[in-house]
Amino acid sequence: MDSQTKSNQPKTSQVKTKPKLNSKNQSFKLQANNVDVFYDDFQAIENISLDIVEQSITAFIGPSGCGKSTFLRLFNRMNDYIDGFLMNGSILLDGNDIYDSSINVEELRKTVGMVFQKPNPFPKSVYENVAYGLRIQGIKDEEYIENRVVESLKQATLYNEIEGNLEKQALALSGGQQQRLCIARALAVKPSILLMDEPTSALDPISSGKIEDLIHELKKEFTIVIVTHNMQQAARVSDNTAFLYMGKLIEYGDTQKIFTNPEKDRTQNYITGRFG
Amino acid sequence: MNRAKINRLKDKAFKYFGIFASVIGIVILAIFIGFVIYMGIQRLSWDFMVELPSRFAENSGIYTAWMGTVWIMVFTTLISFPLGVGAGIYLEEYGKKNRWSSFLEINISNLASVPSIIYGLLGLGVFVRMMQMGNSILAGALTLSLLILPIIIVSTREAIKAVPSSIRDASNALGASKWQTIWHQVLPASFGGILTGVILALSRAIGETAPLIVVGALVYVPFAPQSPLDEFTVLPVQIYNWVSRPQEEFVINAAAAIIVLLGITFIMNGIAVYFRNKWQNKMQW
Ligand SMILES: Nc1ncnc2c1ncn2[C@@H]1O[C@H](COP(=O)(O)OP(=O)(O)OP(=O)(O)O)[C@@H](O)[C@H]1O
Ligand SMILES: [Mg+2]
């Protein structure tokens, strides 16, 4: 198939060059260069290039099916499991191509953590949930593990709520608590990047608010990329926003600007709720 | 009559048909079990369990038969459990999805419905003759293992498929290797289902007669087996032998042996249900 052969030539697309972020002294943690994604014959991502600023929050918005999750999952290679998945272009993490054959995917995922739309704790105790990522690395030092568990739970603002009861069954927690447990679980392995795919869409407004506060707090240490359907949420939490539409990157830039004075009509229409 | 009324009538009709069908099944089974118990219970005794078979019905016991059954079941379990579960894991987790794998899949399902006597002939040809195991416990257990492998493979795959993908995603996203995800998440979550499949398959094996007769289970064995290479008999073969005798006393013996066999099967099914419930309570999402 012609379109599936590797090419670095930008195709007919809105974004010919990388959208410039007006951020002078910021370094880029993640860089996507001319990325195409195919699921068999279907092209889910078309020639997207975009840079993600270190220790900032980047939001992906766009109508359902536009490719936000697909694009997000490129950064920790979770699409690799999908039959028929094929990618062109490159994704750089600290300047290194994470799709290079020399990359150890398991190692990559210790650096790039992920939180999913639906809270998915393991059917185990709170403690074992958070310890899991450390245990599978072969860490045996129980004291270190316990410290990391407590630290991560505190960081995820869950420790006080469960009153230090680490033996509590994870599935007995509320949805919002489960989601923060999943965040703690991701933090325990000390990633530098956190990918979040609609982390609050299954939660009530109060739980969502808590998670938003948490995300704000985490920005000091982590580079966060978040997919959301909630415009207010994107506007509230993110520094930069990317608007995707039908697999293409329509507009990318400072959140303030995207939400107050977007360059493209399509972005304007979407954020004001006229379509999507 | 309007549509709603017709639907309600259909509903009722189907409900009564369902009740009728269930009652028939249960009643026939109850009559059968009742009849067997009525005939055999008088013969059940400690002596009956520990006596060797004899020409005289009243002196005959089922010691060698149930010992043979236990030996056969232990070896069948040892062989079929790791092989079947291993194959199920491979096909579900590692096997590439292509034409070859779907061909394999269809054939494994088909194998589950091949008549057991065919497996007996295969066992006779391969294990007894070619591999020269003779009519031993090992040959019988291998034959029964072949017979139930497809069931174990299929039920293992179903159990693994039922594990929510969100759990896999969570494990993978934390940097777990494929095997770590399988070992720490997928297998514990599916173990109840796998175990149920294995035990149901074993309960099928325990009642098999035809393939064991073909591989040479003996009717009269004066000793309980001492090693897997010994000759053997099993309960169903003993029962089959007794019911075909003309004397009433032997038929009573057969009824008593059937009670023992049913008892073993019920216990095995009970264990299966126990484990399934235990695991399902632990694994709720
Ligand atoms: N596993 C898959 N196989 C084939 N096509 C897929 C697969 N996953 C996603 N797609 C297709 O790729 C496109 C983008 O999907 P994606 O899940 O990335 O959208 P999204 O923007 O995250 O949508 P939503 O907001 O509903 O989550 C969709 O058209 C979808 O049908
Ligand atoms: Mg999505």
Side-chain angles (χ1 to χ4, degrees):
Chain A
M1 201 140 306
D2 183 29
S3 57
Q4 292 194 16
T5 54
K6 185 151 177 140
S7 79
N8 283 324
Q9 237 118 72
K11 299 196 191 82
T12 50
S13 160
Q14 270 83 345
V15 187
K16 292 264 160 45
T17 55
K18 271 198 186 181
K20 286 274 180 307
L21 288 174
N22 47 2
S23 44
K24 299 283 176 323
N25 44 14
Q26 287 168 321
S27 60
F28 297 130
K29 187 75 183 170
L30 290 165
Q31 294 171 288
N33 297 316
N34 305 99
V35 171
D36 295 320
V37 172
F38 297 87
Y39 293 120
D40 292 314
D41 294 343
F42 174 74
Q43 185 159 11
I45 297 288
E46 260 185 76
N47 193 34
I48 292 188
S49 299
L50 127 180
D51 297 335
I52 288 171
V53 180
E54 188 159 24
Q55 285 177 21
S56 73
I57 300 173
T58 304
F60 293 167
I61 60 169
S64 192
C66 70
K68 305 179 295 293
S69 298
T70 299
F71 195 56
L72 186 75
R73 290 158 61 97
L74 288 175
F75 296 115
N76 65 345
R77 296 189 54 170
M78 285 296 278
N79 289 328
D80 291 18
Y81 299 107
I82 298 170
D83 287 326
F85 164 77
L86 186 125
M87 188 194 101
N88 294 328
S90 64
I91 305 268
L92 307 184
L93 164 61
D94 292 329
N96 301 314
D97 188 348
I98 61 169
Y99 282 83
D100 191 89
S101 57
S102 68
I103 288 288
N104 179 334
V105 180
E106 282 101 49
E107 286 299 322
L108 168 72
R109 292 188 185 140
K110 288 165 197 164
T111 313
V112 188
M114 187 162 205
V115 175
F116 297 83
Q117 176 170 2
K118 203 172 141 252
N120 55 356
F122 302 125
K124 298 179 175 183
S125 68
V126 167
Y127 185 94
E128 284 308 319
N129 261 279
V130 184
Y132 183 74
L134 302 168
R135 292 204 193 286
I136 56 174
Q137 290 180 26
I139 296 173
K140 295 276 190 303
D141 183 351
E142 203 58 40
E143 208 179 307
Y144 172 77
I145 292 179
E146 188 171 346
N147 283 338
R148 281 306 299 147
V149 169
V150 171
E151 223 171 289
S152 308
L153 285 171
K154 282 182 177 159
Q155 209 168 6
T157 64
L158 187 60
Y159 191 76
N160 289 334
E161 242 170 88
I162 58 169
E163 292 161 338
N165 181 4
L166 303 179
E167 291 313 312
K168 198 170 169 131
Q169 273 301 308
L171 297 169
L173 300 176
S174 75
Q177 290 173 331
Q178 287 188 12
Q179 192 62 304
R180 274 177 287 149
L181 175 64
C182 293
I183 294 174
R185 182 174 66 185
L187 297 180
V189 298
K190 296 190 171 171
S192 56
I193 298 165
L194 215 46
L195 309 175
M196 303 181 142
D197 194 347
E198 304 184 39
T200 64
S201 67
L203 305 179
D204 64 276
I206 293 178
S207 303
S208 301
K210 283 185 184 171
I211 289 190
E212 278 182 29
D213 293 344
L214 169 59
I215 293 170
H216 241 301
E217 203 51 38
L218 293 174
K219 180 180 133 176
K220 292 173 193 151
E221 260 183 81
F222 303 91
T223 306
I224 295 172
V225 189
I226 180 172
V227 171
T228 178
H229 271 285
N230 182 331
M231 291 308 112
Q232 287 84 26
Q233 184 174 67
R236 273 195 303 267
V237 303
S238 71
D239 301 302
N240 293 299
T241 298
F243 172 55
L244 277 68
Y245 180 70
M246 289 177 70
K248 299 187 186 83
L249 179 62
I250 305 297
E251 194 165 347
Y252 178 45
D254 186 66
T255 297
Q256 200 85 41
K257 179 158 185 309
I258 296 261
F259 278 93
T260 52
N261 185 21
E263 273 168 25
K264 304 270 175 13
D265 289 345
R266 219 176 233 148
T267 316
Q268 175 78 33
N269 290 343
Y270 183 70
I271 58 172
T272 53
R274 241 169 290 169
F275 87 102
Chain B
M1 264 199 289
N2 61 19
R3 183 164 281 279
K5 247 189 194 148
I6 294 175
N7 278 341
R8 221 168 306 146
L9 231 102
K10 278 189 190 161
D11 223 32
K12 266 222 171 95
F14 190 76
K15 183 175 138 196
Y16 286 119
F17 176 73
I19 292 175
F20 172 74
S22 319
V23 165
I24 289 231
I26 292 170
V27 164
I28 290 180
L29 196 70
I31 291 176
F32 168 72
I33 292 179
F35 183 66
V36 167
I37 291 178
Y38 171 75
M39 263 188 81
I41 198 87
Q42 40 169 329
R43 189 68 184 81
L44 265 189
S45 67
W46 182 248
D47 282 348
F48 184 67
M49 298 296 291
V50 297
E51 285 292 340
L52 300 176
S54 151
R55 275 185 298 139
F56 308 104
E58 57 275 22
N59 296 338
S60 268
I62 54 169
Y63 183 62
T64 53
W66 75 256
M67 280 294 277
T69 288
V70 169
W71 272 87
I72 284 275
M73 290 317 291
V74 166
F75 277 89
T76 304
T77 310
L78 289 178
I79 297 163
S80 64
F81 179 76
L83 280 183
V85 174
I89 293 172
Y90 172 77
L91 289 173
E92 199 53 42
E93 296 281 342
Y94 290 93
K96 291 246 163 16
K97 305 275 175 287
N98 53 28
R99 208 171 289 171
W100 167 240
S101 72
S102 45
F103 175 76
L104 215 64
E105 198 165 316
I106 291 169
N107 275 289
I108 288 171
S109 307
N110 282 342
L111 280 178
S113 53
V114 168
S116 59
I117 188 109
I118 308 287
Y119 284 97
L121 291 171
L122 182 69
L124 178 67
V126 175
F127 303 127
V128 178
R129 302 237 167 103
M130 234 168 73
M131 297 169 79
Q132 300 192 334
M133 290 177 192
N135 46 356
S136 63
I137 286 180
L138 193 58
L142 283 165
T143 306
L144 286 187
S145 294
L146 282 188
L147 175 73
I148 62 173
L149 264 178
I151 308 175
I152 297 181
I153 294 174
V154 170
S155 61
T156 298
R157 296 188 61 176
E158 291 308 318
I160 289 178
K161 260 188 215 149
V163 177
S165 62
S166 61
I167 291 296
R168 268 173 227 274
D169 285 345
S171 178
N172 289 330
L174 285 166
S177 67
K178 186 159 194 162
W179 174 246
Q180 282 175 325
T181 298
I182 294 173
W183 182 251
H184 292 294
Q185 303 301 337
V186 176
L187 285 184
S190 56
F191 199 62
I194 292 177
L195 218 58
T196 309
V198 169
I199 294 179
L200 291 182
L202 289 173
S203 344
R204 171 167 178 201
I206 201 173
E208 282 296 339
T209 318
L212 290 181
I213 291 182
V214 174
V215 297
L218 301 179
V219 169
Y220 177 76
V221 182
F223 307 104
Q226 304 289 321
S227 90
L229 293 174
D230 284 350
E231 298 177 332
F232 69 99
T233 189
V234 287
L235 276 171
V237 172
Q238 184 68 68
I239 293 165
Y240 171 72
N241 172 252
W242 276 339
V243 288
S244 49
R245 303 275 191 99
Q247 297 96 325
E248 171 80 3
E249 291 82 8
F250 279 113
V251 179
I252 290 172
N253 278 1
I258 289 173
I259 297 175
V260 174
L261 186 60
L262 279 178
I264 297 178
T265 314
F266 283 162
I267 289 172
M268 282 175 60
N269 285 328
I271 294 172
V273 172
Y274 170 77
F275 273 115
R276 192 179 50 208
N277 292 346
K278 195 176 146 192
W279 244 276
Q280 270 171 359
N281 288 341
K282 236 169 77 183
M283 303 283 162
Q284 283 168 340
W285 23 65

